[in-house]
Amino acid sequence: MTSNAVEASNLKKAFGEKQVLQDMSFGVSPGDVIGVLGKNGAGKTTLLELMLGFTAPTAGAVRIFGHESYSLPGDIKARVGFVPQQDELLDQLTVADQLRVIASFYPRWDSELIDRLCSEWGVNVNARIKSMSVGERQKLSILLAFGHKPELLILDEPVASLDPIARRQFLEQLLTLSTDEKRAIVFSSHIVSDIERLANRIWILKEGRLDWQGDLDSLKESIVRLHIRGAGPELPAFKIPGVLNVRRDGAFATAVVRDWTPEAQEALEKSASVQIEVETLGLEEIFVELHR
Amino acid sequence: MKAVARLVWAYFTGTPVLRACTIVGLALIAIDLYVVATQPGSGQKLWLAVLGLIFFFVGSSLMPVTFGRLARSHSVGVLPGGRVKLLLSAFITILLVALPVGILSPASFISANSSLPELMKDPRVRDFVLEVTALMFSSAVLFAGWMYLALWFLTSQRDMAGLFKGLIVIMLVIFSPAREIHDFNVSLTWNLQQIAILWFVFGAGFLLWPRFKAVRARRNREWFAGLTRVFTGRTVGREFDVLLGTANPWLLVAVLALPLLLMVRLMGQVPSAWLFFLTIFSGLTGAYSGQAAERSRALWLRGHWSRVELFVAVERSIWRHNAHVLGALVLVIVGMGLYAGFPPVLVAAGFSLVLLGTVLSTYLGLMITRGLRWVEIVAGVVVMLSLMALAMLVGFEDVDLTTVFALEVCMIALAIAFRSVARRRWTRIDWMECRPDRALTARGA
């Protein structure tokens, strides 16, 4: 029996001729908070919905708590929470009714937690869902995913419709949840600062592939900007390993590189007789450089 | 005017299939008109133009969908003259769809009477032909207007209110020509009055809707909330049904009540007419099962069901719902039978028709697991036309019961086939292909 919350191997998904996801293998362990980054159409939603068994992979497999995601048994589903990109609320009900309906599906539902969050987040339980704004509906969707204290929480762009205050409250709650070492969280977002603040591991999707997966610190150590200075008036010709982008200007050059190591730096300094200064990049800069 | 023209063009040519339908429709009409106009007495060839007319109508079917989406969007509020142009585009589309009917009217005279060109020299004959042409054209404008309105209500507002409005409009669509045929009092003036009233009321409502919404939002709507709570309040123990939208069958029964009463009042004495309407009403249960796939997405992560088990649970829930509606329709049949003194055979035929309508439409709805596609549309049209034809057949005095029975057996076989297809589709249901369309329900307008 595996200890990972999620495991995927050689995962592929195609819609007709279009390959959306290609050869993905990954694992999500309890305690992981994974931020999924990718441009529009990179396959984030498809990946998350594949993990939840909404759709079948074209090839490969995803397993949640050791079970094939496409045919999850009920006890495993009770350990999973999901916030969809577009809410699936019932317009004609009140918030209280909607909460009651969803709570009835779970053997463990923390009403106290939900009552407290409703009050803190300013969700009016007597309001009819039809009359709520998009942001209020999103708050309710998030509450519905928290109520049964899932061990695996998957969120597809959960903060897209929230105002800054609601976003902060949501992130605080997610931080509280993430301190539980048994819980794994996977969330996608375009707000890189949120991912940087919350995630301890990053997945970067590019053209249907996992271009990077690893912890945030490794990513920041791996993709860096080099400031290169030559001894003479012009830089000699040299090749930078793993270069993503380079700009030369007389005796100076700046380059963004991936998979950078101190050994590579030492080797380059010796072979090209240059001095190299390494600048660490923020996650947003890394994301932009990877997609340049 | 450019925006209006662009919209109208988009309605007829928005997708390759619709573009093809429009072109084929126009070509068939043009060819047939040429043949009929140049070869007097060629009346039997008019069927080609009728076929063209159907193609042309189908070609414009993007109009109610596009109109509905735009009308409910935020963007129409910020477009210069957005609502007026949208309304105008709909009206022009209806005129265009009705135009071939107007043109075909004199053609049908020519085709039926080889000496008509001679007769047309007489001003009285010419006036008569022109009057009939105007009459047919205005009737077509009126009819197409009602049809699009019903389509719009049924497709853009996929809830009880939309269903209710659609049913009322369908009743009016069918009642209006039926009454005119019965009373034989149709006139151009009356048609024009109806068109003016219809478009004035609809246009004013459409253009003033944003203001009305603002006023309504300011008012205390607690009384309305209390009213809806009567229908939606009881959820304990029926959570599965609530998520699936089948928790309250009485809502559908209530929505059916007024059209049913109207039907009894207007056409109660004609057996085929009330059987015809009851068949349409029984088919409405398919509207619920048609949404089951997308709604069940919310159930997948919240229960112990596999995909097959979920289908069984959904099927059971839908039948719990439909049993109530079916019961109400059976009561209507019994009531009607007693009221009008229909023979027991006819009442029994009514039972079987309503049951068949419910079963077929339910499983046809459950087949929709990847959005509404051509296969389901064609199957739906075939089923409804077959049921309606059967209703008309049963209504005849000298009906051959063996034929009716044989047709009903065929339909039972079709229902079994539909269920089998639905079950197979649910075993591999992909919720990425049938997610709820929030864009439609986003409160824009």
Side-chain angles (χ1 to χ4, degrees), chain A residues 53 55 70 77 88 132, chain B residues 239 297 305 307 430 438 443:
Chain A
T55 185
Y70 193 65
K77 289 178 191 171
E88 293 168 355
M132 291 164 75
Chain B
E239 292 83 1
R297 182 183 142 100
W305 312 280
R307 279 170 163 77
D430 187 331
R438 278 279 155 218
R443 292 161 308 290

Side-chain angles (χ1 to χ4, degrees), chain A residues 76-149:
Chain A
I76 300 297
K77 289 178 191 171
R79 294 162 69 186
V80 179
F82 173 54
V83 179
Q85 198 173 15
Q86 290 175 324
D87 72 71
E88 293 168 355
L89 304 171
L90 298 164
D91 280 348
Q92 71 272 30
L93 298 187
T94 62
V95 171
D97 280 338
Q98 174 84 54
L99 285 167
R100 269 195 290 270
V101 165
I102 298 301
S104 72
F105 285 86
Y106 296 104
R108 290 180 306 153
W109 184 265
D110 193 339
S111 299
E112 265 180 45
L113 170 72
I114 295 303
D115 290 347
R116 180 171 62 77
L117 288 177
C118 279
S119 146
E120 283 176 10
W121 293 12
V123 176
N124 176 11
V125 291
N126 296 317
R128 199 158 286 277
I129 291 168
K130 203 174 181 178
S131 65
M132 291 164 75
S133 70
V134 179
E136 287 170 327
R137 294 170 74 106
Q138 188 65 358
K139 282 186 199 172
L140 180 56
S141 291
I142 294 166
L143 289 177
L144 294 173
F146 281 178
H148 58 294
K149 292 187 164 175

Side-chain angles (χ1 to χ4, degrees), chain A residues 256-271:
Chain A
V256 178
V257 291
R258 69 181 295 167
D259 303 325
W260 192 247
T261 59
E263 292 76 31
Q265 182 175 343
E266 204 179 312
L268 186 63
E269 280 177 333
K270 273 187 185 167
S271 64

Side-chain angles (χ1 to χ4, degrees), chain B residues 31-46:
Chain B
I31 291 166
D32 209 27
L33 278 177
Y34 176 76
V35 170
V36 168
T38 53
Q39 298 173 22
S42 55
Q44 71 278 9
K45 286 179 185 143
L46 262 182

Side-chain angles (χ1 to χ4, degrees), chain B residues 364-387:
Chain B
L364 187 59
L366 283 172
M367 278 167 56
I368 303 171
T369 57
R370 296 172 301 167
L372 196 58
R373 298 187 180 197
W374 281 105
V375 178
E376 290 86 14
I377 293 172
V378 171
V381 170
V382 169
V383 164
M384 282 317 285
L385 289 177
S386 309
L387 284 168

Side-chain angles (χ1 to χ4, degrees), chain B residues 44-61:
Chain B
Q44 71 278 9
K45 286 179 185 143
L46 262 182
W47 66 270
L48 207 61
V50 173
L51 194 66
L53 204 59
I54 293 168
F55 268 103
F56 191 53
F57 181 77
V58 172
S60 71
S61 58

Side-chain angles (χ1 to χ4, degrees), chain B residues 84-340:
Chain B
V84 176
K85 287 174 185 170
L86 199 57
L87 186 67
L88 210 55
S89 72
F91 187 64
I92 290 172
T93 305
I94 287 171
L95 291 182
L96 288 174
V97 168
L99 194 60
V101 177
I103 297 170
L104 279 170
S105 303
S108 62
F109 278 104
I110 295 167
S111 65
N113 193 336
S114 57
S115 57
L116 195 71
E118 284 299 314
L119 288 172
M120 283 287 272
K121 287 172 186 164
D122 183 340
R124 284 172 303 175
V125 176
R126 198 170 54 232
D127 287 349
F128 174 74
V129 171
L130 287 175
E131 194 185 327
V132 171
T133 301
L135 192 65
M136 292 300 288
F137 176 61
S138 59
S139 288
V141 170
L142 191 61
F143 186 72
W146 284 121
M147 285 300 283
Y148 282 122
L149 199 59
L151 262 177
W152 184 44
F153 283 140
L154 291 172
T155 54
S156 67
Q157 203 180 347
R158 293 170 69 187
D159 57 14
M160 281 300 160
L163 190 61
F164 179 70
K165 287 180 231 171
L167 280 180
I168 293 290
V169 170
I170 288 170
M171 289 292 301
L172 289 169
V173 168
I174 296 172
F175 166 64
S176 185
R179 194 186 67 93
E180 280 165 4
I181 292 164
H182 185 259
D183 297 345
F184 207 67
N185 66 349
V186 62
S187 71
L188 181 61
T189 317
W190 171 230
N191 271 359
L192 292 177
Q193 281 170 350
Q194 285 185 87
I195 291 169
I197 292 167
L198 170 67
W199 280 92
F200 177 77
V201 172
F202 178 70
F206 179 72
L207 295 175
L208 296 175
W209 182 245
R211 288 185 193 184
F212 172 70
K213 269 190 81 176
V215 172
R216 196 181 61 164
R218 282 199 293 272
R219 288 179 59 185
N220 184 353
R221 297 181 63 215
E222 265 312 299
W223 65 271
F224 185 71
L227 189 70
T228 48
R229 224 169 276 137
V230 171
F231 291 110
T232 58
R234 202 168 75 82
T235 56
V236 178
R238 308 178 66 186
E239 292 83 1
F240 185 97
D241 300 338
V242 170
L243 284 183
L244 201 62
T246 54
N248 202 328
W250 300 116
L251 203 57
L252 181 57
V253 173
V255 163
L256 290 177
L258 184 59
L260 276 171
L261 285 173
L262 263 174
M263 181 198 81
V264 172
R265 176 72 188 86
L266 300 175
M267 294 171 208
Q269 303 301 320
V270 187
S272 51
W274 68 263
L275 281 175
F276 184 84
F277 274 103
L278 281 173
T279 310
I280 292 178
F281 290 152
S282 67
L284 288 173
T285 48
Y288 275 88
S289 52
Q291 292 181 42
E294 65 183 48
R295 283 174 178 255
S296 68
R297 182 183 142 100
L299 288 163
W300 163 244
L301 281 178
R302 299 199 166 90
H304 57 276
W305 312 280
S306 65
R307 279 170 163 77
V308 177
E309 289 165 343
L310 189 59
F311 172 76
V312 175
V314 166
E315 189 184 22
R316 200 174 293 147
S317 171
I318 284 174
W319 276 115
R320 267 199 303 275
H321 174 273
N322 287 357
H324 290 77
V325 183
L326 202 56
L329 291 176
V330 166
L331 279 178
V332 171
I333 294 172
V334 173
M336 280 299 300
L338 292 173
Y339 169 72

